[in-house]
Amino acid sequence: MQQDLREVSYRGEVLSFWPSDVVLIVVQAGLVLGPRPTAPSFLLRLRTGAWAWILPISLGGTIALVASFPSLAPAFTYLSLVAIPVLAIPSLAIPSLAPWRGAAFGVVAAAALFALGWSAQGSLWGQGAALALTALSCTTLASYLCAVAPRPLLKVAIVVMAVLDAYLVFGQLLEAPNNAINAATPGSGLPQLQFAAFGSALVGYGDLFIAATLGGVLVSRSLRLRGAVVVLACSAVFDLLFLVVGTLPATVPVAAALLILEVRARRAKPCARALTREAPA
């Protein structure tokens, strides 16, 4: 879900909604370029189609739990506070280095981003660091998911998640539990990582995770690049609805981009077969 917070002041910095929104949709589209289906060996032994349904279940299950038990909202704050920096480490590790050195670099880089997000909390610098940490964790999680779940089912799950998100947002079923999650704050002034905010706009973790998952199901670099461009275009058009509403399901442009790519691929196959038949022996 993406929210329009309109103009908000952060330690003297004022950033209106539309520039804030542009940053978030560029980050979301950029995540399509990132993931490669890879996972630790112990996860690869657990390959099954059931993993694909993590996408819609993570959204529907979270909202159902918080709607039924609002006191659980702080638990998601602490979960994200621990899980997001840890999941960002593999994406920050440098593959060209020795494994322990690459991992060590990832730990130091994730700690630095977390420290900046904590110390500069509320500033655009702090929000940018927290957004980077969240995006990197989505890249890791999506690469794991795409390594253990079949691509066709993941594509279906992306569309199902977007449909569910749209139903919850436009049916006004998401606002109360989502506000409870966003309002939960950890102790000791620690940063809120259960959502990604920049300036006057906010997106949920699932909105970024679904984009990274789309990148994982696209099999080539050229397809991922095309997917990122299509997601960016769909988001730019879809977000014009913010002129009349304050909340939109940011998963919808990602699912729309997937469907556009699928239609284009299916149309290209008959053309390729026709060219093959016409080629001289």
Side-chain angles (χ1 to χ4, degrees):
M1 184 192 72
Q2 188 164 346
Q3 286 183 295
D4 171 4
L5 305 180
R6 289 302 161 185
E7 199 155 296
V8 182
S9 176
Y10 297 95
R11 294 184 183 178
E13 302 173 50
V14 178
L15 192 66
S16 60
F17 171 72
W18 291 109
S20 306
D21 184 60
V22 167
V23 170
L24 291 181
I25 66 174
V26 167
V27 170
Q28 186 186 43
L31 280 169
V32 178
L33 298 172
R36 306 292 184 274
T38 181
S41 56
F42 74 92
L43 281 179
L44 293 176
R45 290 195 292 269
L46 302 175
R47 285 193 183 105
T48 173
W51 287 113
W53 304 112
I54 283 179
L55 284 167
I57 289 173
S58 64
L59 172 63
T62 299
I63 296 305
L65 277 174
V66 176
S68 303
F69 308 100
S71 60
L72 288 177
F76 292 96
T77 302
Y78 289 104
L79 176 63
S80 62
L81 196 63
V82 174
I84 286 177
V86 171
L87 284 169
I89 291 172
S91 291
L92 287 164
I94 300 179
S96 59
L97 297 177
W100 69 269
R101 288 183 178 176
F105 179 86
V107 170
V108 172
L113 285 172
F114 183 84
L116 179 58
W118 187 3
S119 61
Q121 195 175 166
S123 72
L124 295 179
W125 282 106
Q127 288 186 325
L131 176 59
L133 205 60
T134 301
L136 288 162
S137 76
C138 288
T139 298
T140 300
L141 198 57
S143 69
Y144 291 173
L145 178 60
C146 293
V148 299
R151 289 174 54 248
L153 271 182
L154 282 169
K155 291 178 181 181
V156 174
I158 286 172
V159 175
V160 171
M161 183 181 183
V163 170
L164 176 61
D165 194 17
Y167 170 73
L168 292 172
V169 170
F170 294 127
Q172 299 183 337
L173 302 173
L174 191 62
E175 186 174 0
N178 194 69
N179 288 343
I181 293 173
N182 292 347
T185 55
S188 305
L190 289 163
Q192 294 174 286
L193 297 181
Q194 67 268 33
F195 57 82
F198 191 83
S200 305
L202 177 154
V203 293
Y205 190 87
D207 301 322
L208 301 180
F209 179 37
I210 192 176
T213 303
L214 173 61
V217 302
L218 298 177
V219 293
S220 67
R221 183 179 180 84
S222 61
L223 263 180
R224 285 191 290 271
L225 179 58
R226 192 180 305 157
V229 172
V230 177
V231 167
L232 186 61
C234 289
S235 295
V237 173
F238 188 65
D239 282 13
L240 292 176
L241 290 174
F242 275 123
L243 294 169
V244 292
V245 298
T247 303
L248 287 174
T251 55
V252 169
V254 178
L258 171 61
L259 294 175
I260 290 170
L261 292 172
E262 286 292 301
V263 169
R264 180 169 179 174
R266 289 178 183 276
R267 287 180 176 176
K269 285 179 181 178
C271 294
R273 286 196 293 268
L275 286 173
T276 301
R277 287 195 299 269
E278 292 173 8

